[in-house]
Amino acid sequence: MYDIIIIGGGIAGLTSALYASRAGKSVLVLEEASYGGAIINTLDIANYPGISHISGYELATNLYEQVKELKVSIVNEKALKIKNMRNKKQVITKNNVYEGKAIILATGRNNRKLGLLHEDELIGKGLSYCATCDGAFYRGKVVSVVGGGNTALEDALYLSTIAKEVYLIHRRDTFRGDDITINLLKKKDNVHFIFNSTISKFKITDHRLSGIVIKNSQEETILVDALFVAIGREPKNEIVKNLVKLDDNGYIIINQKCHTNIKGIFAAGDNCRKSLYQLVTATSDGAIAAEEAVLYLNKKKG
Ligand code: NAP
């Protein structure tokens, strides 16, 4: 039996592993995909205190190596179910049942989808949720970005250096993202803002995206080679929705010490309800959740 099972190997989960392991606890990290979580797709992090510039991949890899040095078990399996028993917790994956004394939920968030017909089948065929991963495929082409937050703004800025034209489509007339990026975008001749508009349909040619239908007071088709969807994220809390208390938007409700409403189950990172979703708050949550889990185990031990 492990002392602490951490579900999610993103920045919050790996930071929890670092702190819990350094406190002498045995730790298992379950990660369904690759380590690093959402930050892995960020090309340049410029707001992490003490580091002027680093890529998400480099930062996540450094953290992963740091955690591996501490002999933490990191297993690539998807947690499918969690059982809260009297003296232990069980995490069930496809092939295994893992037992732990405490759990930290650090599952992060998924990209929000537009919810349009044919959206899933167009992924990789002109439709992407990650400009830094797929932007290079569209060198010299016409691309579009939908969204008005920092991700959409930064995606549009990045794509403006690769693509011939970039259409940035936002459903309101003011952006949610930072002024500094908006001002940089305004200086770009190849970036076109389309406000007060939503995408109502995809135009498909030879099984690939070839255009988007924009809806405002009327409908208009723009021919594009790609659409990058950057309309926010949704918490990945499906497996705990009947276990811990979630808010109306599906985020885990935690207190300042990263406690959920269930004893011995803590949560950290983007899957929790909080005011700021940043790298710096993910690491902070990770450290606090680990510290609290350690205190919980030590108290139980007497
Ligand atoms: P976000 O801030 O939640 O923005 C999502 C955007 O998508 C909003 O403009 C929203 O419109 C729009 N939207 C939502 N649902 C939509 C729909 N169904 N159809 C069309 N548009 C829709 O998400 P984000 O940009 O991914 O950023 C997430 C967090 O990460 C934020 O806190 C952000 O500041 C942070 N972040 C920071 C950096 C950085 O500091 N360098 C970089 C990237 C992200 P409305 O505005 O009308 O709601």
Side-chain angles (χ1 to χ4, degrees):
M1 183 176 329
Y2 290 93
D3 289 325
I4 302 174
I5 300 179
I6 299 167
I7 305 180
I11 296 299
L14 289 178
T15 305
S16 286
L18 178 70
Y19 275 72
S21 178
R22 284 173 57 85
K25 301 300 175 195
S26 62
V27 178
L28 167 70
V29 177
L30 287 174
E31 167 56 52
E32 61 175 308
S34 169
Y35 65 83
I39 201 71
I40 210 104
N41 298 321
T42 300
L43 278 187
D44 181 29
I45 299 163
N47 58 2
Y48 195 70
I51 304 176
S52 327
H53 293 280
I54 189 166
S55 74
Y57 178 75
E58 194 183 349
L59 186 111
T61 303
N62 289 347
L63 177 54
Y64 175 78
E65 301 291 346
Q66 195 178 7
V67 170
K68 283 296 265 186
E69 263 178 36
L70 295 168
K71 310 265 177 287
V72 168
S73 308
I74 304 181
V75 172
N76 273 113
E77 284 180 52
K78 185 180 165 89
L80 299 173
K81 200 172 176 181
I82 298 171
K83 279 191 189 164
N84 182 33
M85 298 155 114
R86 215 164 64 85
N87 278 321
K88 62 183 177 187
K89 328 261 178 226
Q90 281 186 341
V91 181
I92 296 147
T93 67
K94 192 173 169 206
N95 297 318
N96 289 299
V97 176
Y98 296 101
E99 295 193 332
K101 297 174 193 161
I103 286 183
I104 298 175
L105 304 168
T107 43
R109 296 192 283 186
N110 275 326
N111 294 315
R112 182 176 290 131
K113 294 189 172 182
L114 286 166
L116 294 176
L117 202 61
H118 306 301
E119 187 165 351
D120 284 345
E121 67 205 62
L122 286 172
I123 296 172
K125 294 172 185 158
L127 191 137
S128 168
Y129 299 88
C130 177
T132 50
C133 319
D134 301 327
F137 294 122
Y138 300 96
R139 192 164 293 281
K141 307 262 185 187
V142 178
V143 303
S144 51
V145 176
V146 58
N150 275 321
T151 305
L153 297 180
E154 289 183 10
D155 283 0
L157 194 60
Y158 170 65
L159 291 165
S160 72
T161 64
I162 296 174
K164 187 165 77 175
E165 307 290 341
V166 180
Y167 291 96
L168 177 55
I169 300 141
H170 181 37
R171 64 183 177 184
R172 293 186 295 123
D173 63 355
T174 47
F175 288 117
R176 186 180 282 270
D178 296 343
D179 285 346
I180 188 166
T181 323
I182 298 169
N183 290 334
L184 289 172
L185 280 171
K186 282 182 180 163
K187 289 186 191 144
K188 296 276 183 175
D189 290 337
N190 64 340
V191 175
H192 314 287
F193 299 102
I194 302 182
F195 289 115
N196 298 315
S197 303
T198 53
I199 298 173
S200 59
K201 252 184 266 169
F202 300 124
K203 185 171 156 44
I204 301 169
T205 310
D206 292 336
H207 308 291
R208 285 192 64 85
L209 182 86
S210 57
I212 45 179
V213 180
I214 302 292
K215 200 171 147 202
N216 36 54
S217 50
Q218 54 195 37
E219 277 201 338
E220 173 198 0
T221 302
I222 306 177
L223 298 181
V224 294
D225 299 295
L227 169 67
F228 293 89
V229 180
I231 59 168
R233 302 193 181 111
E234 284 167 347
K236 286 200 256 178
N237 287 329
E238 190 58 29
I239 63 160
V240 294
K241 69 179 184 200
N242 296 320
L243 181 68
V244 297
K245 210 165 173 193
L246 306 183
D247 73 5
D248 291 344
N249 296 316
Y251 288 86
I252 298 172
I253 298 174
I254 50 170
N255 65 11
Q256 283 186 339
K257 292 177 171 181
C258 293
H259 293 215
T260 68
N261 62 312
I262 303 290
K263 271 206 169 68
I265 302 187
F266 306 84
D270 281 7
N271 52 329
C272 302
R273 181 170 75 180
K274 54 185 183 166
S275 58
L276 184 63
Y277 293 88
Q278 288 281 298
L279 187 55
V280 76
T281 58
T283 54
S284 165
D285 287 356
I288 293 169
E291 177 73 7
E292 289 300 312
V294 169
L295 283 175
Y296 164 81
L297 294 176
N298 290 348
K299 237 186 228 168
K300 259 183 95 172
K301 226 167 137 190

